[in-house]
Amino acid sequence: MTRVPLLAGNWKMHKTVEESRAYARHLIDLLGADPPLGREMVVIPPFLSVWAVCRQFAGTGFQVGAQNLDLGREGAMTGAVSAYHIAEAGARYVIVGHSERRQFFGETDDVVAEKAKAAHAAGLSPIVCIGEREDEFDAGKTEEVLSRQLAPVLAILPATAWERVVVAYEPVWAIGTGRVPTPAQADHLAGFIRQAIFSAVGQTAGAVRILYGGSVSLANIQTFWGMPDIDGALVGGASLKAADFARMAAVPLE
Ligand code: PGA
């Protein structure tokens, strides 16, 4: 099954609305109306900028995502933003279960699965983030952790949903640290994730894009992206400059 390579930039809590618009314009200036080499590019700004970046990208091939969603559609939930709102603003993607949400906002594996379901139900593609902490890595528990995090997502989503689901393998110890697993390690784990999805839903697993994330930079992106089971990258800090993000999208793969 062919999988369109995907480069996603997670800005986290960076950039105002005006800065976000300027970034989107800059990306179009640099690359034209479409990402290079038939790849897909997704910019994932803070909520306040989602609509503005969608407007800026109108008529281009660039996509927008949100960094989180809250459950439900509408209601008395002060401060909440639903998948319905994100989709209506024009975004196609939403990150669920980023390790910072798990760590700082107490999101459990089950909540993450519920969010993936809500995203899918609203027509969005969830980017489901999974990954082990450093102590779990040191204890050799990486596969166990990935299986545990994936299980409720596999249980809750219908098999057909997986055509649209993206999984990002992000070792927590690699996020924002400058440390990375070897490309072979990351690829092995991407293969492990694909096998787990295959066991649950069969052939559709071949359509799921699996990204590597954690200290991806212009200097190392090629080594990860070139691996057989890695279909792209979820980039944090190194995506904050449009010029760098544009260059990453154009790296040749062997
Ligand atoms: P980083 O973040 O590239 O800054 O390590 C990646 C992420 O958290 O998605």
Side-chain angles (χ1 to χ4, degrees):
M1 244 180 252
T2 53
R3 301 185 289 267
V4 177
L6 174 63
L7 179 67
N10 171 17
W11 294 358
K12 310 191 180 186
M13 200 167 68
H14 294 283
K15 296 193 191 294
T16 63
V17 174
E18 261 325 304
E19 289 164 351
S20 304
R21 285 159 52 91
Y23 181 110
R25 281 195 299 268
H26 192 189
L27 202 62
I28 295 166
D29 285 347
L30 291 166
L31 294 174
D34 289 293
L37 306 170
R39 294 170 183 173
E40 194 172 1
M41 287 173 82
V42 186
V43 167
I44 310 180
F47 274 134
L48 275 179
S49 295
V50 166
W51 185 83
V53 176
C54 286
R55 302 282 16 100
Q56 208 66 52
F57 282 162
T60 76
F62 299 100
Q63 300 296 335
V64 181
Q67 298 173 13
N68 177 40
L69 61 96
D70 293 296
L71 297 175
R73 179 182 162 101
E74 291 186 306
M77 295 280 289
T78 301
V81 177
S82 77
Y84 163 72
H85 294 117
I86 295 165
E88 198 274 342
R92 290 243 189 107
Y93 288 87
V94 62
I95 295 175
V96 299
H98 190 281
S99 67
E100 287 151 18
R101 301 288 319 172
R102 294 177 191 261
Q103 187 183 346
F104 303 130
F105 300 90
E107 292 190 10
T108 62
D109 297 336
D110 288 332
V111 166
V112 172
E114 290 284 352
K115 289 189 172 190
K117 183 181 172 193
H120 177 258
L124 296 167
S125 288
I127 301 174
V128 180
C129 296
I130 57 176
E132 81 286 2
R133 298 188 314 258
E134 183 159 28
D135 59 313
E136 294 164 332
F137 176 79
D138 289 343
K141 290 191 173 156
T142 298
E143 293 184 3
E144 192 184 311
V145 170
L146 298 182
S147 299
R148 190 201 74 220
Q149 292 175 329
L150 265 181
V153 185
L154 288 165
I156 207 167
L157 286 178
T160 52
W162 287 88
E163 286 164 15
R164 259 203 278 128
V165 175
V166 175
V167 177
Y169 167 57
E170 298 206 306
V172 179
W173 52 270
I175 295 177
T177 60
R179 293 167 56 207
V180 290
T182 66
Q185 259 173 333
D187 188 57
H188 167 76
L189 292 164
F192 174 81
I193 291 165
R194 196 178 305 287
Q195 188 56 43
I197 300 169
F198 181 82
S199 300
V201 307
Q203 296 297 339
T204 315
V208 177
R209 284 171 301 171
I210 300 178
L211 312 181
Y212 169 72
S215 295
V216 173
S217 67
L218 200 47
N220 67 23
I221 188 167
Q222 191 175 25
T223 59
F224 292 106
W225 204 346
M227 300 305 279
D229 265 310
I230 298 178
D231 305 305
L234 178 56
V235 187
S239 73
L240 289 172
K241 288 193 183 122
D244 291 346
F245 198 51
R247 264 186 234 118
M248 281 187 227
V251 294
L253 306 182
E254 297 86 58

